[in-house]
């Protein structure tokens, strides 16, 4: 079967994925890329005499990818079967409270980013600004000042890396530098390679609502260092997020409730986009099922092929477990914990495409039910596949100390099986909407490293012709404004179906995220997009609702905020 890829997919593959020789000339075709990945990942089979042979599995993996039903994360597509061989997208690196420790972490992060992996750090162990540095008897410059070193290093190595470095900085809500951390990204010249998230506890949120004073603790001594009003700190988080989109929140207690191996200590930070909470030195491989590839059309009705989706999910889980097996590791500490926990994150993309095909508006009760149903199917298939692999290959080595064993569940091969990633690049390759996001706009462009225009959705064009509204003036307007919500001459049903990210209320966004999170063992990457007119109170309500509905974190982005946007409506350039 010929490989069907869009023009955008082909140009993105040429830009970043296809192998090159020493002079930078492309030396493989798209088909060869998928064979390289399929064979390299299938090679893991040969280590397990009780399983099938690698040649047979390589063919299945090749078909799974080239029918665009599933793609692994970018580092796997670029590095599998090459000398780099590093297949993981998500890492958490510990940052200890010493100069040696901090600069060691900078070096480790640089090496990881060179291979296309993203890094997250908790800066909560660093002594606060003003605390004494014993060797020099001078005050420390504080946690935030050190984040700048990571940011600059990331920027410098970006040019020689397989893609621009991405980072997550995490700080606990009771760290004395939390206020400086909250406001850090207000300066647009700093921290361009970082997302910032405050790790908030349930106790903190209660104190914030009651506007109580709390103690800020010096991690070096474990003793109170300063006091702050939790209500004012929360106001500051809301205000900065409203203004610049950072910080996001991570909900500490909710995250720890799903910690598969609590004996290893708490999950301390996440990867750059927030979808994988990890232990220090831990990493996770990701892969996503493209829901668009499972839509079956019968007459003018569409269905989701649920059995097909689950069958692919089981094979995809095997693919991800194989990745843990064959990947190269940047450091022995990382290899040790990754092999002991074998965390993988299988997720979905093309969710908005599925809803459009089913004629269900994003954010409606029906869409929440679809989110629940679809992710439930993937989660169930992934757990089933991980249990079967445990029979074939043995459970993950930390299984006996995991909460699964404590609950008397059957052995499984992986400490976690599901995640929803942003799928920023692989959704372009697969030609579907990204992750579980609604359409960003009806037509838009990618700016930054990859430049491409996303044409109006084919279903919209079909609907417009059906009702006799397919005219050049309207199409031009769609390209300029990216939406049709304001066109009262178009049928209400159509305008509701094709609402874009900023036309969907924060509550609706969050209800979809929460429904998906119910069936995801790691976390869910999702941006709560707000229109420019949104108020600080909208942000506050979104933060509290996300917590109430059991999300593990929340990120808002108000239209027009200065954060590095990679998507842009054409009329806005
Ligand atoms: O689509 P793709 O596999 O390229 O990645 P994604 O789903 O958009 O992002 C998944 C994860 O990859 C992020 O959370 C980061 O950990 C990492 N990433 C990165 O390190 N650098 C980027 N420029 C993009 C993603």
């Amino acid at each position: 079967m010929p490989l069907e890829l869009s023009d955008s997919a082909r140009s993105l593959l040429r830009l970043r994925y296809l192998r090159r020789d020493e002079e930078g000339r492309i030396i493989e075709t798209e088909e060869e890329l998928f064979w390289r990945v399929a064979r390299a990942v299938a090679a893991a089979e040969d280590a397990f005499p009780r399983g099938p042979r690698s040649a047979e599995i390589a063919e299945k993996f090749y078909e799974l990818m080239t029918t665009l039903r599933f793609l692994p994360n970018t580092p796997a597509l670029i590095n599998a079967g090459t000398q780099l061989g590093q297949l993981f997208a998500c890492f958490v690196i510990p940052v200890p409270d010493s100069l040696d420790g901090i600069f060691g972490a900078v070096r480790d992060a640089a090496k990881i980013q060179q291979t296309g992996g993203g890094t997250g750090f908790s800066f909560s162990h660093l002594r606060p600004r003003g605390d004494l540095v014993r060797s020099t008897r001078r005050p420390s410059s504080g946690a935030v000042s050190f984040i700048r070193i990571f940011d600059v290093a990331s920027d410098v190595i970006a040019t020689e890396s397989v893609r621009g470095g991405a980072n997550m900085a995490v700080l606990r809500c009771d760290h004395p530098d939390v206020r400086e951390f909250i406001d850090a990204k207000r300066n647009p010249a700093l921290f361009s390679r970082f997302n910032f998230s405050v790790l908030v506890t349930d106790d903190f949120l209660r104190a914030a609502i009651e506007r109580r004073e709390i103690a800020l603790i010096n991690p070096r001594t474990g003793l109170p260092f300063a006091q702050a009003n939790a209500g004012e700190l929360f106001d500051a988080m809301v205000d900065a997020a409203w203004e610049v989109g950072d910080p996001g929140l991570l909900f500490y207690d909710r995250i720890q409730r799903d910690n598969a191996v609590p004996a290893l200590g708490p999950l301390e930070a996440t990867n750059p986009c927030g979808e994988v909470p990890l232990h220090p030195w831990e990493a996770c491989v990701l892969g996503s099922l493209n829901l668009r590839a499972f839509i079956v059309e019968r007459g003018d009705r569409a269905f989701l092929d649920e059995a097909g989706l689950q069958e692919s999910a089981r094979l995809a889980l095997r693919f991800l477990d194989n990745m843990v097996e064959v990947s190269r590791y940047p450091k022995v500490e990382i290899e040790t914990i990754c092999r002991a926990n074998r965390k993988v994150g299988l997720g979905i993309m093309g969710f908005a495409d599925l809803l459009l095909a089913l004629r269900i508006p994003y954010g409606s009760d029906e869409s929440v039910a679809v989110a629940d149903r679809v992710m439930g199917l993937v989660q169930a298939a992934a757990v089933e596949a991980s249990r079967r692999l445990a029979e074939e290959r043995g459970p993950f080595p930390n299984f006996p100390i995991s909460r699964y064993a404590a609950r008397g569940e059957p052995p499984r091969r992986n400490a976690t099986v599901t995640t929803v990633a942003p799928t920023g690049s692989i959704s372009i390759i697969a030609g579907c909407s990204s992750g579980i996001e609604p359409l960003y706009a009806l037509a838009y462009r990618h700016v930054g490293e990859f430049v491409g225009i996303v044409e109006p959705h084919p279903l919209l064009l079909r609907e417009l012709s059906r009702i006799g509204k397919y005219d050049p003036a309207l199409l031009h307007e769609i390209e300029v404004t990216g939406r049709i919500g304001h066109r009262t001459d178009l049928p209400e049903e159509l305008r509701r179906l094709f609402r874009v990210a900023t036309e969907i209320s924060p509550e609706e966004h969050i209800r979809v995220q929460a429904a998906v999170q119910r069936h995801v063992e790691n976390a869910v990457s999702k941006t709560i997009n707000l229109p420019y007119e949104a108020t600080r109170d909208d942000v506050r309500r979104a933060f509290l609702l996300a917590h109430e509905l059991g999300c593990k974190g929340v990120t808002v982005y108000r239209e027009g905020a200065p954060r590095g946007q990679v998507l842009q409506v054409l009329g806005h350039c």
Side-chain angles (χ1 to χ4, degrees), residues 46-109:
D46 295 333
F48 305 102
R50 293 178 58 192
R53 296 301 78 211
S54 60
E56 178 194 331
I57 295 294
E59 298 216 354
K60 289 191 177 172
F61 286 169
Y62 179 81
E63 198 207 342
L64 186 66
M65 289 186 287
T66 51
T67 49
L68 302 175
R69 282 179 287 174
F70 164 83
L71 289 177
N73 53 215
T74 288
L77 293 172
I78 296 179
N79 301 335
T82 75
Q83 229 177 351
L84 271 180
Q86 193 297 103
L87 310 185
F88 286 66
C90 313
F91 294 79
V92 163
I93 305 294
V95 184
D97 184 35
S98 70
L99 267 195
D100 276 348
I102 292 167
F103 280 88
V106 171
R107 183 197 54 221
D108 293 333

Side-chain angles (χ1 to χ4, degrees), residues 17 73-74 89-90 116-118 163-164 166 271-273 275 286 421-426:
Y17 293 76
N73 53 215
T74 288
C90 313
R163 62 172 163 183
N271 68 319
C273 305
E275 69 272 20
L286 306 178
T423 73
S425 301
I426 61 169

